[in-house]
Amino acid sequence: MGVLDSQGAALSEHGLDARTLVDVKSRTGTVGNYPTYGLRREDELRLIRETAADVFVESTPSTLNNPMPTMERLKAAMGSRKHVVSVNKAPLAVAMPALVELARFNRVQLRYSGTVGAGTPVLATARTLSAGDRILKVRGIMNGTTNFILWRMTEQGESYAGALAEATRLGYAETDPSTDVDGVDTATKVVIIANAALRLNATVKDVRIAGIRNIEAGVIESAKAAGSAIKLIGEIDAESRTLSVSPQRVDRHGPMDVPAALNAVQFELENAGPVTLVGRGAGGPETATAILRDLTDIWHASGAHV
């Protein structure tokens, strides 16, 4: 097995100790200092291609402005007949149809359940629902940072700036919250759901995006007076094949009016009607759970357990 980071790698056909990896990374900044099996910065694509592994797990941060480094890693893994688990949304947002086709061509599996909902099984639920019914529409709160901000503005009467500051203090928002508040993060998840569950062959360029950066207290108060709450909603209409992200009203205290940093995704089914899934959409343990779920699915699908 092997582990790569931006400065080095640790490779051993006999396996690596997880606690030692974490300790070395935290103390020295790179797994390349792993005793005996550590390597300083190498040609990562060559290492990915030549390492005798069955699965490649991609967990680097998402970078929509520069997805190519991650894209090349995924292509190197699948091109060398390795299954892939990715929790990086960027390459899926810009080139998901091409990546799915590449996996099919190389007869490997591409799994990405952690990109939407983290540990909450949004994509698995969507696939299950679509197997016995037809999904007409998907509406969801898919970004915990923006939901926290809007929730504080609604429940505490805070200004946008004050709610954002609190989200940053609690670690929900990054120092630069643009990807969240401008709706880009939600848009990437809309694209992934549209491709995975509805086979729309979409990319992020197909999404109409409006964020919450300019939301005003008066809009929040007007919604409250009408018995509604404002949420940043990612939406897919299967009939018109349109994808969008925008602030919208939802029923106050209804199934989509979830508090704090929770996510909620509602599927409108032709026969069964609305089905809503609620859960935490981000976090290290939650994302790790999704990776393990994907690895287990690959193991079962490949017949390795037989």
Side-chain angles (χ1 to χ4, degrees):
M1 68 169 290
V3 178
L4 306 175
D5 62 28
S6 61
Q7 300 178 59
L11 300 172
S12 171
E13 63 182 18
H14 305 294
L16 300 166
D17 180 73
R19 290 183 179 179
T20 302
L21 279 167
V22 173
D23 177 63
V24 169
K25 176 70 175 179
S26 62
R27 286 191 298 103
T28 71
T30 175
V31 296
N33 289 319
Y34 191 99
T36 307
Y37 301 113
L39 299 170
R40 298 305 293 175
R41 182 64 176 173
E42 296 274 347
D43 180 350
E44 66 177 13
L45 298 183
R46 180 182 64 82
L47 290 174
I48 292 170
R49 293 188 188 101
E50 295 179 2
T51 300
D54 296 316
V55 185
F56 175 72
V57 179
E58 168 61 56
S59 60
T60 57
S62 294
T63 52
L64 263 184
N65 293 331
N66 184 26
M68 287 312 297
T70 303
M71 197 87 72
E72 291 302 316
R73 288 192 289 270
L74 297 181
K75 289 164 62 178
M78 289 190 283
S80 56
R81 301 297 175 90
K82 294 175 178 64
H83 303 299
V84 166
V85 173
S86 179
V87 292
N88 188 325
K89 298 182 289 291
L92 296 170
V94 301
M96 189 167 173
L99 290 171
V100 169
E101 179 57 33
L102 182 62
R104 185 180 296 115
F105 177 80
N106 286 288
R107 298 182 180 179
V108 295
Q109 297 179 59
L110 171 61
R111 301 277 179 162
Y112 41 84
S113 70
T115 59
V116 182
T120 303
V122 174
L123 296 177
T125 300
R127 291 192 185 99
T128 299
L129 293 173
S130 63
D133 207 333
R134 190 161 70 97
I135 298 175
L136 303 177
K137 184 177 288 188
V138 182
R139 298 181 72 234
I141 299 162
M142 305 176 194
N143 181 272
T145 300
T146 53
N147 197 58
F148 180 85
I149 292 169
L150 294 170
W151 174 69
R152 292 281 294 199
M153 292 178 72
T154 300
E155 300 299 330
Q156 306 296 328
E158 284 189 316
S159 65
Y160 169 81
L164 174 58
E166 180 65 6
T168 303
R169 185 186 72 82
L170 293 173
Y172 294 133
E174 301 290 341
T175 304
D176 178 3
S178 299
T179 299
D180 294 327
V181 301
D182 291 335
V184 177
D185 178 71
T186 298
T188 64
K189 295 168 183 175
V190 165
V191 168
I192 293 168
I193 295 173
N195 283 287
L198 302 174
R199 296 182 173 86
L200 294 187
N201 290 327
T203 72
V204 73
K205 293 180 180 179
D206 299 313
V207 188
R208 298 193 307 271
I209 307 173
I212 67 166
R213 187 185 292 271
N214 298 315
I215 199 84
E216 297 179 351
V219 174
I220 301 293
E221 291 304 317
S222 176
K224 284 178 64 176
S228 302
I230 299 294
K231 301 290 185 179
L232 184 65
I233 300 293
E235 189 164 15
I236 305 164
D237 189 315
E239 295 293 299
S240 63
R241 302 177 70 87
T242 57
L243 289 70
S244 63
V245 176
S246 64
Q248 298 182 23
R249 290 187 178 190
V250 302
D251 291 338
R252 192 98 187 273
H253 309 305
M256 294 288 285
D257 187 19
V258 293
L262 287 178
N263 286 192
V265 179
Q266 186 171 84
F267 302 94
E268 183 68 35
L269 303 174
E270 184 174 36
N271 297 305
V275 175
T276 305
L277 185 66
V278 176
R280 288 182 289 186
E286 292 82 0
T287 302
T289 297
I291 291 173
L292 289 174
R293 183 168 63 232
D294 284 347
L295 289 171
T296 301
D297 286 344
I298 289 173
W299 182 63
H300 280 287
S302 65
H305 63 291
V306 177

